[in-house]
Amino acid sequence: MDGDHRTDTDAALSDLRAHLAAAAAAAAGDIERTAEADVRAELERAEADAAATTARAAELGRRRGTAAVAAAAHRAASRRRGEILAARREADERFRSAATAAVLHMADEPGYPAILDGLRATAIALLGPDTVVTEDPAGGLIAHTGGRLLDLRLATIAVRAIDRVATEPGEEQP
């Protein structure tokens, strides 16, 4: 009987994972495209600023010497790196915000009761039959039994999914 219960739970979780992955992937794709365009635009602006600064520094260098040119070029490169990092941080925040909103929006979807049933079944499978399950008003649920707590709120699931996507092997982190 335990095997059947685990199979049902695994199937419910599989559907939930697939739905979460699809929602996160769609949101991530949109955010990534926007972020890439923003980073490219910011990089072009930064490179244009750096080129202008470098040109001014070269003129100054001709008048004041090589040391001044090197210092200005270093400052321009540092500023450009800072601008690029700031653009990446902003893009990451937009991605996280949009992906979280997409997951939280699942509570408004017609299939939400099935997702909630799957979360409830998972909680009971993990914590046992005496588990007390409380629905979260924002979506998802919290389950506890004895001293154990399982947080399956949509907001928590969103953070975990985003963190997992953000740390997938082979991807560069901002």
Side-chain angles (χ1 to χ4, degrees):
M1 178 151 176
D2 255 357
D4 291 341
H5 183 68
R6 286 193 179 137
T7 303
D8 292 345
T9 301
D10 290 346
L13 284 176
S14 178
D15 291 344
L16 175 59
R17 284 186 196 113
H19 186 74
L20 286 173
D30 292 342
I31 296 302
E32 184 176 347
R33 284 186 291 281
T34 301
E36 287 174 356
D38 289 348
V39 168
R40 279 192 300 276
E42 189 62 36
L43 185 57
E44 289 171 7
R45 284 192 292 276
E47 288 174 346
D49 288 347
T53 300
T54 301
R56 286 190 301 273
E59 180 61 29
L60 178 63
R62 282 189 277 283
R63 287 186 257 134
R64 295 190 180 170
T66 304
V69 171
H74 179 72
R75 283 190 306 274
S78 294
R79 188 179 81 220
R80 183 176 66 192
R81 280 190 300 274
E83 290 169 349
I84 290 168
L85 289 175
R88 284 183 178 170
R89 279 190 299 271
E90 183 181 332
D92 182 61
E93 283 303 313
R94 282 196 315 259
F95 161 71
R96 288 178 179 278
S97 178
T100 299
V103 171
L104 292 175
H105 180 67
M106 287 173 37
D108 300 328
E109 296 292 325
Y112 178 67
I115 291 171
L116 203 54
D117 288 344
L119 292 174
R120 185 175 286 109
T122 298
I124 291 170
L126 293 173
L127 298 179
D130 296 331
T131 300
V132 176
V133 176
T134 307
E135 286 188 35
D136 185 69
L141 53 87
I142 296 177
H144 62 88
T145 185
R148 297 169 57 196
L149 173 77
L150 181 59
D151 185 350
L152 294 174
R153 294 175 296 160
L154 291 182
T156 304
I157 293 169
V159 168
R160 289 179 187 151
I162 292 165
D163 287 345
R164 184 171 291 148
V165 169
T167 58
E168 286 184 355
E171 293 196 11
E172 181 180 328
Q173 294 299 305

